[in-house]
Amino acid sequence: MASAIGLIQRLYKAFNPPVVPKAASTTSAPTSPLKFGILGAATIGPPALIIPARSHPEVIVYAVAARTLEKAQVYAKKWGIEKAYEGYQKLLDDPQVDVVYNALPNALHYEWTMKALKAGKHVLNEKPSADTAAETRAMFDLAEEKGLVLLDAYHYRFHPALKRAKAIIDSGEIGAIQNITAELMLPKGLFGDDDIRYDYELGGGALMDLGCYTMSCIQYMASSDPSSVLSTSHVAFTPKGVSENYVPKVDRRMEATLSFPKDVTATIRCDLAMPHTFGFIPKIPVVRVKVEGLVGNVEVFNFVSPTLYHSITVKIKGGASRTEKVYVNKDEEGKAKGEAWWMTYRYQLEAFVDKLRGREPETWLDKEDSVATMEWIEKVYEKSGLGSRPSKI
Ligand SMILES: NC(=O)C1=CN([C@@H]2O[C@H](COP(=O)(O)OP(=O)(O)OC[C@H]3O[C@@H](n4cnc5c(N)ncnc54)[C@H](OP(=O)(O)O)[C@@H]3O)[C@@H](O)[C@H]2O)C=CC1
Ligand SMILES: O=C1OC[C@@H](O)[C@H](O)[C@H]1O
């Protein structure tokens, strides 16, 4: 009962956060709040940036750009955004925009992040980083050269629940890691056949969309990059009405097993549309990561959206089992940083702004994290025979 009430309270506040006055930076040198501009009137914009920004004193969502002015205006009106632009370049040309949130389809991340950086903007770039590791590397190289902050929005990494699970593993409580399993599988019916996730030219595929979280997560849990892709299996997406000769390039489902140094193995599973049970009962989403060690294991249920609900279960072989839940970061004195209702996106925004303002973020993902995740996504695609998504460089 208490946990149901907690869930309702967290959900309500996550989507109806207190709107705080916009202030100058909290650093000693006062500056104006940061003005964010969104590329694309995208579905992800409100949960990932617009709503979290309401409770961030240093963030104003100031502009949105879409391919048509009408779409940008409708979105701007709905979400209380001051400026609406037709075409993405116009938003980049606006000197008032400090930060660009790139919410375009994956295949456009590279082009528009590069353009935004060239225009002198910091960038919060949606996941997965780009279509290939070469594109990712080029984006981060340019950000470094320009002294700008670039972050790929692997939002799940910023939630304290993940940090707690990792701390348990790193403490040695479960012994040396032997095996990791990360799964993110959704039921059929969430995405139409014309969704960007099923479009090869737009960087589609289950591994790109959902699998990037699982790939990133196994690397984080293992504290290492993989050594090789041992095996893959996939179910391709085939649009309706295509000819017999159609060669599918997009995975609806992907499974891969990878080896890591020190005899560690990891399996990832992702699915954009798990078939209904008996053809009509939708399956429950599968969102979990399990790390098995020599003497025990840790399992995080719902590692991607832990604010809604999560559990961290620790089982020691032949011994006790316990469950933890962690919704806020605490410093050494026990002072909370964050709120139980902060979604992963709000934690991510906090870290992004801290970095940009020269404060130490609680969590950060750098160039090497992003490049390594893309590299191994490409290697899985190569092994599967589907091949990498088309690179622009
Ligand atoms: N962090 C997270 O939890 C999530 C992240 N994502 C990521 O965010 C990005 C966007 O996803 P999502 O919001 O679901 O997607 P949407 O389809 O809702 O938005 C994509 C945006 O890209 C623009 N766009 C530009 N060119 C094209 C094109 N050729 N075809 C289709 N759209 C185009 C669209 O049009 P216009 O310019 O006209 O507005 C639209 O606003 C992806 O990279 C995805 O992986 C998605 C969901 C969750
Ligand atoms: O968090 C997510 O959940 C649903 C996905 O399709 C989306 O792209 C992803 O980022």
Side-chain angles (χ1 to χ4, degrees), residues 102-376:
N102 186 343
L104 299 173
N106 307 336
L108 299 179
H109 288 179
Y110 170 73
E111 177 186 349
W112 288 99
T113 290
M114 291 298 277
K115 285 180 175 163
L117 293 167
K118 282 178 190 156
K121 317 293 186 192
H122 304 280
V123 181
L124 178 60
N125 181 48
E126 258 313 333
K127 43 56 62 181
S129 182
D131 273 353
T132 63
E135 291 181 357
T136 303
R137 197 171 283 112
M139 296 190 305
F140 279 91
D141 285 349
L142 183 60
E144 261 168 38
E145 195 186 305
K146 294 250 178 197
L148 295 164
V149 176
L150 168 61
L151 175 68
D152 286 337
Y154 286 102
H155 56 101
Y156 81 99
R157 276 284 304 275
F158 296 85
H159 195 278
L162 248 282
K163 271 174 78 177
R164 175 63 192 142
K166 176 83 165 109
I168 295 169
I169 293 156
D170 291 349
S171 75
E173 188 179 350
I174 63 164
I177 299 177
Q178 296 187 299
N179 189 47
I180 308 170
T181 310
E183 297 173 308
L184 182 42
M185 302 192 279
L186 301 177
K188 186 178 164 180
L190 294 175
F191 309 114
D193 283 9
D194 59 352
D195 194 277
I196 57 170
R197 289 161 184 76
Y198 291 129
D199 190 328
Y200 176 73
E201 296 301 329
L202 291 179
L207 179 60
M208 291 289 281
D209 186 60
L210 301 173
C212 70
Y213 291 110
T214 60
M215 182 63 83
S216 156
C217 190
I218 60 172
Q219 290 172 288
Y220 176 53
M221 291 300 175
S223 304
S224 154
D225 293 342
S227 328
S228 68
V229 181
L230 298 173
S231 64
T232 70
S233 69
H234 69 271
V235 177
F237 167 76
T238 305
K240 289 183 195 87
V242 290
S243 77
E244 278 174 13
N245 306 326
Y246 177 80
V247 181
K249 292 182 190 159
V250 168
D251 44 317
R252 189 214 82 206
R253 179 185 198 282
M254 177 67 78
E255 173 166 343
T257 299
L258 298 97
S259 69
F260 283 74
K262 298 186 189 159
D263 290 331
V264 176
T265 52
T267 296
I268 56 172
R269 287 186 196 97
C270 49
D271 198 329
L272 288 164
M274 288 187 289
H276 294 340
T277 305
F278 305 126
F280 68 95
I281 306 169
K283 290 207 171 67
I284 293 169
V286 181
V287 191
R288 62 164 206 146
V289 55
K290 184 173 185 182
V291 180
E292 293 163 276
L294 263 178
V295 298
N297 61 65
V298 175
E299 181 166 342
V300 185
F301 168 78
N302 196 8
F303 72 101
V304 177
S305 254
T307 312
L308 307 182
Y309 178 81
H310 71 270
S311 59
I312 306 163
T313 304
V314 185
K315 281 189 189 144
I316 304 301
K317 284 178 192 166
S321 150
R322 71 173 190 280
T323 296
E324 299 185 20
K325 297 183 177 69
V326 183
Y327 291 98
V328 288
N329 279 314
K330 290 214 172 113
D331 64 18
E332 281 124 35
E333 284 123 43
K335 195 166 156 259
K337 181 154 192 200
E339 303 280 350
W341 51 267
W342 277 17
M343 300 287 277
T344 49
Y345 308 112
R346 181 62 182 80
Y347 277 109
Q348 172 180 264
L349 189 62
E350 186 78 9
F352 184 79
V353 172
D354 281 349
K355 186 78 172 179
L356 214 156
R357 293 297 202 195
R359 303 185 292 258
E360 187 63 36
E362 286 283 331
T363 301
W364 194 248
L365 272 86
D366 61 19
K367 171 182 170 180
E368 297 315 321
D369 294 308
S370 287
V371 170
T373 299
M374 275 323 300
E375 238 167 46
W376 288 93

Side-chain angles (χ1 to χ4, degrees), residues 35-41 61-66 72 81 83-102 112 115-116 119 121-122:
K35 288 190 172 174
F36 279 59
I38 308 177
L39 296 183
V61 181
Y62 156 80
V64 60
I81 298 171
K83 286 266 176 190
Y85 286 114
E86 178 177 12
Y88 308 136
Q89 188 59 48
K90 287 203 182 107
L91 185 145
L92 302 187
D93 293 339
D94 182 339
Q96 292 212 56
V97 172
D98 302 301
V99 182
V100 164
Y101 171 48
N102 186 343
W112 288 99
K115 285 180 175 163
K121 317 293 186 192
H122 304 280

